[in-house]
Amino acid sequence: MKKINIAIDGPAGAGKSTISRKAAERLGYIYIDTGALYRTVGVSALRRKVNMESDDEIAGILPDTNVELKFIDGEQRMFLNGEDVSEEIRLPEASMAASRVSAVPAVRAFLFDLQRDIAEKNNCIMDGRDIGTVVLPNAQVKIFLTASPECRAERRYNELCEKGIQADYDQVLSDIIKRDYDDSHRKIAPLKPADDAMTIDTSGNELEQSVECVIKAIREKAELYADA
């Protein structure tokens, strides 16, 4: 029986991870945060102190980079060469490193099969920046989740503060604007809505409002698919 795949794309700080995870829990699907995969490769590159401007140097660490996605007590955890780096990959420097390594073709190829293999075996919600356009172009439901840069920066700033990580709002906003530009202008799989994606703007929404909007969209599209 063909699995139901939900692709949720959008810029940094749009709430993709939290919203997708909560929607998956309610629908009984597994949740895959593909950004965490790229963040893990980014952490590997930072630890090895490679030249982040060199595609060749970044690609050179891949043979010795083992990325594993595990579900522990229902929660996605990321492992780098056997070490749980689920907290480290959420640091701002890991976010910027993820944006850089995701532009390297060798890195995308390195993670591509892993993402598709999970989707083929499970009913899932997968979020990222090119899921509906590249990774799962035949997903039954595609959503592009966005919000204003200021709204996204405020959310990210509050999230970092709650974790006890020192942050500056203006710097967070600057990083988000830069990442938006980098992600949407990269040559390989740039950030953009799929042609058949539904755009949902969560600016000003409480978390629960955004979750309900996404679940409603998924249920409507999935029902159409089931009736087809």
Side-chain angles (χ1 to χ4, degrees), residues 37 39-48 61-62 64-70 77-86 88-89 110:
L37 302 175
R39 286 170 178 267
T40 302
V41 175
V43 166
S44 181
L46 290 172
R47 287 183 173 186
R48 293 168 185 253
I61 69 170
L62 297 178
D64 298 316
T65 297
N66 181 33
V67 175
E68 292 180 280
L69 183 158
K70 299 181 181 180
R77 306 290 295 180
M78 295 307 307
F79 289 78
L80 171 61
N81 296 333
E83 177 188 349
D84 189 337
V85 293
S86 303
E88 185 176 351
I89 64 172
F110 178 70

Side-chain angles (χ1 to χ4, degrees), residues 15 31 99 128 142 165:
Y31 161 62
S99 181
K142 299 178 186 177
I165 300 171

Side-chain angles (χ1 to χ4, degrees), residues 24 31 112 143 146 211:
Y31 161 62
F112 186 79
I143 294 171
T146 189
V211 173

Side-chain angles (χ1 to χ4, degrees), residues 3-28:
K3 300 301 181 181
I4 300 292
N5 294 161
I6 315 298
I8 298 184
D9 291 308
K16 298 187 302 297
S17 298
T18 303
I19 292 168
S20 298
R21 183 172 61 252
K22 287 184 174 295
E25 287 173 359
R26 294 196 197 175
L27 295 169

Side-chain angles (χ1 to χ4, degrees), residues 49-78:
K49 301 186 183 330
V50 304
N51 177 4
M52 296 298 279
E53 298 304 313
S54 170
D55 285 11
D56 288 342
E57 284 198 31
I58 293 172
I61 69 170
L62 297 178
D64 298 316
T65 297
N66 181 33
V67 175
E68 292 180 280
L69 183 158
K70 299 181 181 180
F71 292 93
I72 300 175
D73 296 328
E75 179 185 2
Q76 175 180 299
R77 306 290 295 180
M78 295 307 307

Side-chain angles (χ1 to χ4, degrees), residues 10-16 39 90-93 95-97 99 129 145-160 167-185 191 203:
K16 298 187 302 297
R39 286 170 178 267
R90 297 302 167 186
L91 295 174
E93 53 266 34
S95 177
M96 297 306 291
S99 181
R129 286 171 177 73
L145 201 63
T146 189
S148 69
E150 292 77 14
C151 180
R152 290 184 281 130
E154 183 177 358
R155 291 173 183 169
R156 182 58 58 83
Y157 172 78
N158 290 336
E159 176 185 298
L160 293 170
D168 176 78
Y169 170 80
D170 290 336
Q171 185 60 52
V172 173
L173 176 59
S174 176
D175 287 347
I176 279 180
I177 291 173
K178 181 180 186 304
R179 182 157 189 189
D180 284 352
Y181 181 87
D182 290 345
D183 288 348
S184 60
H185 287 79
L191 168 67
S203 299

